Amino acid sequence: MNAIRTPMYDENAAVAALNHVEGFDPRQYMRATSTEEGQGLYLDVKYRKLWFRLAHPLGKIKKIFHALNAEVAICEARVYLNKDDPEEQYVGSGTAQRFFKAGDKFGESYVESAETAAVGRALAEAGFGSQFSDCDVTEPEDATLADAPVAAAPAPGVGPTPAAAPAPAPTAPTARRSPAPAPAPAAATPPVQEPALAPGMSFEQAYAAMTLDKAKAVMIDCGCYRGQTLGQLALTKPGSLHWYVDSYKGSNNLLRAAAKYLLDRAAA
């Protein structure tokens, strides 16, 4: 496993002076994380917000949802040094996109996750966190829920006891009758077969056969995100999906169609 890199905060006095608050050392609240790039240090969003409030008590963080439905949330956050600053005078902004996923503690809290991730990225851009990484804040898998705790599931056997069903009332005996003939079994309905995705499909064919799960599972086979799925990219760099729709010149129509499908679902 790679060693934890020394953050710029410890190597450069000018970086350490950025947003300095007397008596507050953000390094005390950092935690070690494991990411695809190895080990790193991460400052949870709740501590970035605390740091921002200490530095700018009259500041504000504005959240804007560009998409919010039963499947996806896209949130933008903007950081203002003063609550009375004009709309366009923000010092940092960030956007995050999250999909709903049943049975997953992060996926079921996709709205809170998108909001927290957007706020964390906006604060990093404003200088509350970027001091601890080379170019961008590395977010571990659980980072976006730093301010959105998920309620624990109840322990087995805990909870209200269901009421006992009432005993059936006695009935008078009836005359013995011949049993009615059993109905003929209904014909089985064949399952609906979803069209399979194939590498040789045209863009139109691939898009028509696409589903949300299929689009998220499409593997990126070129560029700096090679080896990731589009679903992973949508969680970390949602804006990059536009490149595969507008600028990608390769022959992988599945990649282009899946990116377009995810963007269309997010905008719906």
Side-chain angles (χ1 to χ4, degrees):
M1 182 175 290
N2 297 335
I4 298 176
R5 295 190 301 261
T6 302
M8 293 183 290
Y9 190 98
D10 295 327
E11 295 182 330
N12 190 304
V15 173
L18 177 64
N19 290 321
H20 175 72
V21 175
E22 187 67 31
F24 178 78
D25 187 352
R27 293 173 297 181
Q28 296 177 349
Y29 306 98
M30 299 183 71
R31 59 186 174 98
T33 63
S34 294
T35 68
E36 294 179 356
E37 300 176 355
Q39 283 191 299
L41 293 173
Y42 182 75
L43 184 66
D44 285 321
V45 177
K46 58 186 176 183
Y47 296 123
R48 295 185 216 177
K49 292 167 67 175
L50 171 62
W51 186 3
F52 172 69
R53 295 301 178 194
L54 291 172
H56 303 283
L58 298 181
K60 70 176 180 180
I61 303 172
K62 181 177 181 179
K63 279 87 72 175
I64 307 167
F65 278 93
H66 295 288
L68 182 58
N69 53 51
E71 294 182 347
V72 66
I74 300 178
C75 181
E76 178 188 1
R78 297 176 180 177
V79 176
Y80 296 83
L81 299 185
N82 190 286
K83 60 183 178 61
D84 296 324
D85 286 342
E87 186 76 15
E88 70 281 359
Q89 197 172 316
Y90 52 89
V91 295
S93 67
T95 302
Q97 174 176 274
R98 295 291 184 267
F99 291 96
F100 172 79
K101 184 177 180 182
D104 179 80
K105 67 177 181 178
F106 301 120
E108 290 186 347
S109 298
Y110 67 111
V111 178
E112 298 95 324
S113 178
E115 180 180 356
T116 305
V119 169
R121 293 171 184 174
L123 286 170
E125 187 174 272
F128 296 90
S130 57
Q131 297 92 327
F132 304 109
S133 61
D134 295 335
C135 58
D136 191 12
V137 175
T138 301
E139 294 182 357
E141 182 181 1
D142 62 340
T144 58
L145 288 179
D147 294 344
V150 180
V158 178
T161 303
T171 57
T174 57
R176 186 184 300 272
R177 293 184 299 177
S178 299
T189 302
V192 178
Q193 297 291 334
E194 293 183 353
L197 297 176
M201 278 184 167
S202 67
F203 171 84
E204 292 76 13
Q205 291 173 325
Y207 187 91
M210 199 66 64
T211 66
L212 182 58
D213 288 338
K214 289 180 180 179
K216 290 162 64 176
V218 170
M219 187 69 66
I220 301 172
D221 58 3
C222 63
C224 58
Y225 301 116
R226 179 194 298 268
Q228 295 188 37
T229 64
L230 285 179
Q232 292 171 323
L233 184 64
L235 290 176
T236 57
K237 301 286 184 181
S240 298
L241 293 175
H242 290 280
W243 185 88
Y244 294 98
V245 177
D246 302 327
S247 303
Y248 173 67
K249 303 301 182 183
S251 59
N252 189 345
N253 289 324
L254 295 184
L255 185 60
R256 186 182 296 106
K260 181 69 164 60
Y261 186 90
L262 291 176
L263 289 171
D264 290 347
R265 292 299 293 270

